[in-house]
Amino acid sequence: MKLRLTGRNILQVEKTMTPSPVMVVLVPVASIVLALAVCGLFFYLSGKDPGYIYGKMFSGVVGSTYGLTETVVKSIPLMLCGLGVGLAFRMQLWNIGGEGQLYMGAFAATGIALFFPDWPAWVLLPVMVIAACLAGGFLALLAAVPRAYLGVNEIIMTLMLNYVAILWVDYLVYGPWRDPQGFNFPLTAPFREEAVLPTFGDTRIHMGLLFGLLLAVVFYFVIYRTKWGFEVRVIGESPEAARYAGMNITRNILLVMLASGAVCGLAGMAEVSGLMHRLQPGLSPGYGYTAIIIAWLAKLNPIAIVLVAFLFGGLQVGGYVVQTSGIPSTMVAMLQGTLLFFVLGGEILLRYRLRFMPGMRAGDESA
Amino acid sequence: MNQMCLAEMRGITKRFPGVVANDAVDLKLYPGEIHALLGENGSGKSTLMSILAGLYRPDEGEIFIDGASQVFRSPRDAIRAGIGMVHQHFKLVDTFTVAQNIVLGDRRTPFITRMGRIEEQIARLSQRYGLQINPRAKIWQLSVGERQRVEIVKMLYRGCEILILDEPTAVLTPQEARDLFRNLREMAERGRAVVVITHKLNEVMEIADRVTVLRGGKQVGTMVRGEFTKRDLACAMVGRDVLSRIQRKSVAKGPPVLRLDKVQVLNDSGCNALQGVSLQVCAGEIFGIAGIAGNGQRELAEAVTGLRNISKGRVYVGDKDLTNAPVRRIIDEGVGYIPEDRLGTGLVPGLGVVENVILKDYRTPHLSKGPIVNRRIGVKRALDLIARFSISVTGLDAPVKLLSGGNLQRLLLAREISSGPRLIIAVYPVRGLDIAATEAVHRMLLEEREKGTAVLLISEDLDEIFKLSDRIGVLYDGNLVGVLDIEDADAERVGLMMMGGEEREAAVR
């Protein structure tokens, strides 16, 4: 592609297949710096000192045990959902329904916790996990079945099902599942001790972290080392080649979406059982959506998803910290969006090379 | 013709990586003529016209419009100079009306548009040339022929003096084609120049005032109506000198491996692509299917390999009935397949060499234990193939889309051959490859034949067919119109059959 600048100057955009190693490191770093700078400019324009805000965020997150542990706590649902949607993205299945699947998982886990009061923990917790996975997977399948057999767009389906799941949970906690002793607050009764995931020491970090780390390793292994993972990668890269090699695309759409939804459902179970110990409305501040950003920034690599989830957990906590300085915590959402914008935008620089050809006459390029 | 020419292309050369698509081609277009551009696929017809229409820029050579040298930076420049091209694949927005599509992208359209007036103009314009269309109809409501008319009117509306049509009849019924030719004649009579890109001899005979023949990017000649016969054109197009039969060792023919019995297959738009094709390919034999693309070749290959549903008839490999068998089973029966689309179907562009080498047998016990793929064996196999078939790669894990066309095809063939197939289906195996890579691919196919593999070779390149095949079948309009032993076949006859010429001549006799 050639762009004509003023007069005779031509800017040529060439595709490069092999970006230089320097660029591979430099571009993402520069992208992050640029994103921070743009948001900083925004803070500055709204009359705040960007240096102060960034400094406060940083010290708030890494400067105290509380900040650090909270970062980990926030990163748990992010990494689980990130792993879940990332798996679907690998097969070019755009599961935007992580949020709804998380709510379904929370709902199912709560149901088990509330209605089987005499099970011991070693039965109750595994059953809660299984129920949450099934519920999340079920919601994903509602979108996957029409997609696999009729080609219905899964983006719309998963997105709309988010509202279904969220409103379903709202209905339960405002209605039938409301705690009679809860002073009319829209909350279920608190879980018994047997339904609560163990925590690490006296922090709020719970077993969900282990789920996330374990799943990341398992996913990595499954995707890169197993026959099924191979099929997923081939289908994601080229469905025609997959058909040519005799792979069953329909079955894999169903399986991948089921697994994707199940992991997001597990995130919901971890939230209610590890952290909130009850079902409540608004139990996720959009983890399922942020997970989409995380999966992309990590380029769908399971290990990278864990790391990026920690980063985004930190951003979330940093957002709460600066709230005390009169900055709305929603600015974190802005920061996240800007990061995604710049990092993905920067990728173009890795794939293309700009060549500036000053003073060139049109028609001369071939010479 | 002494009149001033509308457009002249002088010494046009265009190179793409690995191919010279046009090599010093000259072309003059006069008002009032229908000029046919004839050649096989890959001969550079479309490239040449894309240059004239401003889509590509020539590496060498000049374009003169009304005697003045011009450089087109975009199709918009070309349209401004009065040159419009109707592509094989129409560029229309389905949900817009005809009139909206026609003004879309037209720079003269004012910001606030009075569609009523434009619709009137379009109606008048289409009436003048007998191109019946309703300006208010939505594109999705129209037939293919009508859509083509919309494209033509679009170019006329923009004031094009030179109209280029790329294989305009490929999508039309015979009646629609006749109507189109009448319209084109009408336009020429009103002083426009019409260029028709085609590889159908009958069309050239029917409508061309002059014909320019291209072969392998080079201009074979330009002839005026009355100076040429169908046979001349076929010769010029195919080339007499190139029919060298290289060292094909004689191989004892074995038992039949592939057997098709009256196979019928639908194409993507639900029409019959194969209308009852029966053939047999034996072990140690290369059966060449000649024919112009779009006469059922792709569907034939897909039917045999299980990628397309067979609506009637049966396919046997060895003694097994594999009609509509799952792809996996057909692979396991030892059917290798070199698809037309080698990068994207035959190989996975974004994955590395190792993954592509194990693409088909990752699930066999050699390469996997339970659910786990043994990558180490995959790596070993990849290294082995790279050495045996002299494939040059940058790394085992670099995406294969970085490989050159020749290396891609070598990799694909290496994988298919190394699986020890009984039957290989090769579709356009050397399309777009340079001479060295072509030779390598041909050698590989001939070696397979010597090993006793049955090969079904689908190609448009007669040269290739004659060089490799033991028998030649010609596919025309979904029918196998003739099967010839290589000793009895000559290029002209096959060339005529490919263009549906044989039947008609036979009927006259």
Side-chain angles (χ1 to χ4, degrees):
Chain A
M1 187 178 74
K2 285 171 193 136
L3 303 170
R4 197 148 43 102
L5 302 177
T6 50
R8 295 181 164 172
N9 298 330
I10 285 177
L11 188 64
Q12 183 157 357
V13 185
E14 292 175 340
K15 204 160 184 174
T16 57
M17 293 299 197
T18 44
S20 71
V22 182
M23 291 288 272
V24 172
V25 178
L26 197 67
V27 166
V29 171
S31 304
I32 291 173
V33 171
L34 261 174
L36 292 178
V38 166
C39 287
L41 183 71
F42 183 80
F43 296 145
Y44 177 76
L45 289 177
S46 51
K48 309 278 184 337
D49 175 7
Y52 172 76
I53 293 177
Y54 286 140
K56 191 131 200 251
M57 274 178 78
F58 189 75
S59 64
V61 174
V62 301
S64 68
T65 323
Y66 176 78
L68 280 172
T69 55
E70 271 312 285
T71 296
V72 175
V73 168
K74 295 283 179 264
S75 68
I76 292 168
L78 289 176
M79 75 176 70
L80 282 170
C81 288
L83 289 168
V85 297
L87 178 68
F89 291 172
R90 274 220 174 250
M91 237 180 71
Q92 314 248 10
L93 288 169
W94 309 119
N95 178 11
I96 309 299
E99 186 79 354
Q101 290 143 19
L102 180 149
Y103 272 86
M104 284 303 277
F107 142 75
T110 305
I112 300 290
L114 292 181
F115 294 103
F116 298 95
D118 15 277
W119 288 0
W122 63 273
V123 179
L124 191 59
L125 285 174
V127 172
M128 282 167 72
V129 165
I130 292 165
C133 288
L134 288 179
F138 167 76
L139 197 72
L141 273 189
L142 285 186
V145 169
R147 163 63 211 263
Y149 293 101
L150 303 169
V152 176
N153 185 322
E154 78 280 7
I155 302 179
I156 308 280
M157 291 283 290
T158 50
L159 183 67
M160 304 294 258
L161 286 170
N162 283 342
Y163 299 104
V164 174
I166 294 169
L167 291 171
W168 170 240
V169 166
D170 277 1
Y171 161 74
L172 289 176
V173 292
Y174 280 97
W177 284 12
R178 192 195 316 235
D179 181 9
Q181 277 103 51
F183 305 106
N184 231 10
F185 281 110
L187 303 167
T188 61
F191 290 3
R192 292 172 309 119
E193 216 167 293
E194 286 79 10
V196 170
L197 279 174
T199 54
F200 294 91
D202 51 1
T203 63
R204 301 207 315 147
I205 302 174
H206 52 83
M207 281 273 293
L209 178 65
L210 289 188
F211 294 165
L213 296 179
L214 198 68
L215 272 177
V217 175
V218 168
F219 272 23
Y220 189 89
F221 182 81
V222 166
I223 287 169
Y224 291 106
R225 291 283 177 269
T226 65
K227 292 196 269 191
W228 185 56
F230 184 66
E231 291 186 5
V232 168
R233 281 191 294 151
V234 170
I235 295 171
E237 287 282 344
S238 168
E240 292 79 23
R243 249 165 60 77
Y244 163 84
M247 295 172 186
N248 187 335
I249 297 181
T250 307
R251 199 190 67 189
N252 276 316
I253 289 177
L254 299 178
L255 276 177
V256 162
M257 281 295 272
L258 179 70
S260 174
V263 176
C264 293
L266 181 62
M269 180 272 173
E271 281 298 280
V272 290
S273 167
L275 202 61
M276 294 165 181
H277 308 155
R278 53 167 32 121
L279 193 62
Q280 61 187 62
L283 70 103
S284 154
Y287 291 134
Y289 297 114
T290 309
I292 297 165
I293 304 182
I294 292 172
W296 271 123
L297 286 182
K299 293 190 181 158
L300 312 185
N301 180 318
I303 308 300
I305 285 175
V306 170
L307 299 177
V308 179
F310 282 130
L311 175 74
F312 271 61
L315 274 178
Q316 208 105 40
V317 174
Y320 295 134
V321 172
V322 293
Q323 250 179 313
T324 50
S325 333
I327 311 277
S329 67
T330 44
M331 67 124 219
V332 168
M334 185 182 87
L335 200 51
Q336 286 171 353
T338 321
L339 272 176
L340 182 73
F341 182 83
F342 275 93
V343 172
L344 293 190
E347 293 227 322
I348 289 183
L349 292 178
L350 289 181
R351 274 184 280 122
Y352 294 88
R353 192 170 53 199
L354 291 178
R355 228 171 61 191
F356 183 59
M357 298 186 290
M360 172 151 273
R361 270 209 339 258
D364 271 4
E365 305 103 282
S366 53
Chain B
M1 288 193 205
N2 288 324
Q3 33 180 165
M4 178 89 165
C5 64
L6 276 176
E8 180 180 358
M9 302 179 84
R10 219 181 271 166
I12 298 290
T13 298
K14 178 75 187 172
R15 297 182 198 90
F16 291 115
V19 235
V20 181
N22 287 144
D23 190 355
V25 179
D26 298 318
L27 184 74
K28 282 185 179 180
L29 299 173
Y30 294 96
E33 75 165 337
I34 295 182
H35 195 121
L37 202 54
L38 182 71
E40 296 181 296
N41 277 23
S43 58
K45 300 165 295 187
S46 293
T47 307
L48 186 68
M49 285 302 106
S50 296
I51 289 172
L52 186 58
L55 281 163
Y56 296 143
R57 270 199 239 183
D59 295 330
E60 281 158 40
E62 275 187 287
I63 299 172
F64 298 88
I65 307 296
D66 292 331
S69 173
Q70 295 258 11
V71 174
F72 298 147
R73 285 199 194 82
S74 69
R76 194 171 261 161
D77 288 352
I79 287 172
R80 205 174 297 138
I83 300 168
M85 182 156 172
V86 176
H87 295 270
Q88 227 172 329
H89 303 284
F90 305 141
K91 297 168 178 1
L92 297 169
V93 183
D94 274 356
T95 50
F96 281 16
T97 67
V98 169
Q100 283 166 340
N101 267 287
I102 286 172
V103 296
L104 187 69
D106 185 356
R107 272 207 174 161
R108 298 168 307 167
T109 314
F111 186 67
I112 296 165
T113 312
R114 290 175 56 193
M115 283 317 277
R117 190 179 292 176
I118 289 169
E119 280 163 6
E120 264 169 48
Q121 273 176 21
I122 291 168
R124 230 178 298 132
L125 196 64
S126 60
Q127 219 160 23
R128 195 182 313 152
Y129 294 99
L131 295 154
Q132 283 158 358
I133 42 168
N134 171 9
R136 285 190 196 86
K138 298 255 165 69
I139 296 299
W140 59 266
Q141 300 168 316
L142 303 182
S143 72
V144 180
E146 288 171 312
R147 287 177 203 203
Q148 189 177 53
R149 264 177 253 159
V150 176
E151 287 278 16
I152 295 172
V153 171
K154 182 158 93 185
M155 292 308 156
L156 295 176
Y157 179 81
R158 292 181 190 182
C160 289
E161 291 296 314
I162 298 170
L163 192 70
I164 305 163
L165 296 106
D166 192 357
E167 314 240 343
T169 57
V171 291
L172 301 183
T173 64
Q175 293 84 339
E176 284 176 320
R178 259 201 306 283
D179 288 344
L180 173 72
F181 289 158
R182 216 178 31 241
N183 297 334
L184 294 182
R185 181 52 68 195
E186 179 78 14
M187 279 176 243
E189 269 163 17
R190 286 174 188 259
R192 290 190 163 85
V194 178
V195 182
V196 177
I197 301 175
T198 182
H199 49 228
K200 294 184 185 155
L201 289 182
N202 292 335
E203 279 176 16
V204 177
M205 298 308 291
E206 198 172 335
I207 55 160
D209 298 313
R210 290 196 306 147
V211 52
T212 294
V213 184
L214 294 183
R215 181 177 2 114
K218 291 201 179 71
Q219 186 171 12
V220 183
T222 299
M223 291 172 268
V224 181
R225 180 184 267 295
E227 284 179 7
F228 54 80
T229 65
K230 223 177 192 177
R231 194 145 282 226
D232 294 337
L233 294 177
C235 276
M237 203 169 134
V238 174
R240 275 167 279 214
D241 49 330
V242 288
L243 298 175
S244 57
R245 291 180 196 182
I246 59 149
Q247 59 311 347
R248 244 168 7 99
K249 294 180 196 149
S250 66
V251 173
K253 227 192 255 184
V257 175
L258 172 69
R259 209 145 54 77
L260 265 67
D261 185 21
K262 298 198 188 96
V263 168
Q264 284 189 22
V265 171
L266 301 182
N267 63 14
D268 293 335
S269 40
C271 305
N272 254 335
L274 291 183
Q275 328 203 19
V277 168
S278 301
L279 62 83
Q280 236 181 45
V281 188
C282 299
E285 174 187 52
I286 297 184
F287 188 98
I289 298 270
I292 308 280
N295 278 292
Q297 289 92 328
R298 167 215 273 270
E299 288 82 1
L300 174 64
E302 289 180 349
V304 175
T305 52
L307 290 168
R308 189 173 284 273
N309 195 52
I310 295 164
S311 43
K312 257 189 202 152
R314 312 235 59 108
V315 172
Y316 303 90
V317 173
D319 49 1
K320 300 223 173 63
D321 184 347
L322 291 186
T323 313
N324 291 330
V327 177
R328 228 168 236 204
R329 170 132 187 263
I330 293 173
I331 292 172
D332 293 342
E333 284 297 329
V335 178
Y337 178 26
I338 318 292
E340 179 180 0
D341 172 26
R342 56 187 83 114
L343 188 63
T345 301
L347 298 166
V348 188
L351 297 183
V353 175
V354 179
E355 274 86 357
N356 274 293
V357 164
I358 64 171
L359 181 64
K360 277 184 166 175
D361 44 9
Y362 65 96
R363 62 205 149 77
T364 59
H366 312 288
L367 274 162
S368 58
K369 208 185 209 172
I372 294 157
V373 177
N374 188 336
R375 212 183 120 83
R376 215 164 330 133
I377 294 174
V379 171
K380 225 197 270 163
R381 186 183 292 186
L383 288 173
D384 174 50
L385 292 185
I386 287 168
R388 246 168 71 204
F389 295 90
S390 44
I391 306 165
S392 59
V393 298
T394 43
L396 287 180
D397 294 314
V400 295
K401 64 185 168 198
L402 303 181
L403 299 181
S404 73
N407 280 312
L408 281 175
Q409 192 67 320
R410 257 180 256 211
L411 177 64
L412 178 50
L413 266 154
R415 184 186 69 210
E416 296 303 298
I417 287 174
S418 66
S419 67
R422 287 200 272 177
L423 168 69
I424 293 180
I425 317 285
V427 185
Y428 309 126
V430 299
R431 185 190 270 178
L433 300 189
D434 59 24
I435 295 169
T438 302
E439 281 299 311
V441 168
H442 285 170
R443 216 170 320 116
M444 287 160 99
L445 288 174
L446 284 173
E447 277 168 21
E448 276 308 293
R449 168 179 171 269
E450 281 153 31
K451 271 195 262 167
T453 312
V455 179
L456 183 69
L457 168 72
I458 296 180
S459 173
E460 297 173 294
D461 184 353
L462 280 186
D463 211 9
E464 180 180 25
I465 296 248
F466 273 86
K467 192 166 140 191
L468 301 178
S469 310
D470 297 287
R471 285 188 299 146
I472 299 175
V474 181
L475 205 54
Y476 178 76
D477 198 20
N479 288 302
L480 203 58
V481 291
V483 178
L484 306 166
D485 275 336
I486 186 75
E487 283 76 23
D488 310 332
D490 71 278
E492 280 176 34
R493 185 150 166 235
V494 172
L496 270 175
M497 283 163 77
M498 275 165 72
M499 283 159 275
E502 179 89 333
E503 302 166 306
R504 244 179 247 190
E505 285 198 355
V508 172
R509 261 185 263 145

